[in-house]
Amino acid sequence: MAFNPSSAAGTLFKVSASSPVSFALVEGVQGLTISGAQKNDIEYTAISDLSKKFLPDLPDAGEAQFQLAWDPSNAEHAILYANFLANNTDIYFQTTMDDAGGAVYTYQGYVKQWGISHQKSAFNAVDVAIKINGGMNLVP
C-alpha cells in the first residue's frame, strides 16, 4: 500500500457547545497543533528487585493550540471566548483532515488560554489553547 501523507490545506476545525452535539466550522484558524500527549510512569519496584519496574499511567491527551484570525462578532469565536470565561465547562471539538478517507477526530475540552494580539500590519489575533479532557476519538 502506498504512503500518501495528506496536506493540511482543507483541514476543518469545528466546535459545539450544545447537547446534542452540532458542530460548526471555526473560521480563521491559522493552523492547529496538538501537543503534550503523554503517559506518566507508575513505579512499582519492590525492594527485592534489581532494577526499576514501571506501569503506564492513563494517557493525557495534551492540548490543542492555534492562532485565530479573530472576529469578535463571529458566533464560533464567541463560543470559544465564552468557554474561556466559564468555569468547569467542557465543550466539543472536531477536526476533519483532508485525506482520501477524510479522517476525523473528536474530543472534549475547555479553552485554557485566550491571548489577544493587535499588531500593526497584521490581523487581530488570538492565541488559543484547549486542554483536552479525556481521550480523543479518531476515525481514519
Side-chain angles (χ1 to χ4, degrees):
M1 185 159 140
F3 171 72
N4 293 310
S6 62
S7 169
T11 299
L12 304 175
F13 178 73
K14 299 177 182 181
V15 65
S16 175
S18 64
S19 184
V21 176
S22 176
F23 288 108
L25 179 66
V26 178
E27 295 179 287
V29 174
Q30 300 301 298
L32 179 63
T33 301
I34 302 204
S35 63
Q38 68 177 11
K39 289 182 182 180
N40 291 323
D41 299 323
I42 300 171
E43 184 178 346
Y44 69 100
T45 308
I47 195 169
S48 59
D49 291 331
L50 298 176
S51 57
K52 291 185 176 187
K53 295 180 181 176
F54 298 91
L55 292 171
D57 198 0
L58 296 173
D60 174 347
E63 295 183 5
Q65 301 100 16
F66 57 92
Q67 186 177 65
L68 184 62
W70 188 31
D71 176 359
S73 66
N74 179 280
E76 288 70 40
H77 296 194
I79 289 170
L80 295 172
Y81 184 60
N83 184 257
F84 173 71
L85 297 175
N87 289 325
N88 301 320
T89 306
D90 277 356
I91 56 178
Y92 305 90
F93 300 95
Q94 180 184 73
T95 302
T96 303
M97 297 169 53
D98 189 27
D99 60 353
V104 176
Y105 56 94
T106 57
Y107 53 93
Q108 294 181 46
Y110 58 89
V111 178
K112 178 179 175 177
Q113 174 186 327
W114 187 268
I116 301 169
S117 176
H118 307 288
Q119 301 298 323
K120 185 170 50 174
S121 300
F123 55 81
N124 290 319
V126 176
D127 291 321
V128 180
I130 297 164
K131 177 60 184 165
I132 300 171
N133 200 1
M136 293 177 59
N137 181 34
L138 173 64
V139 178

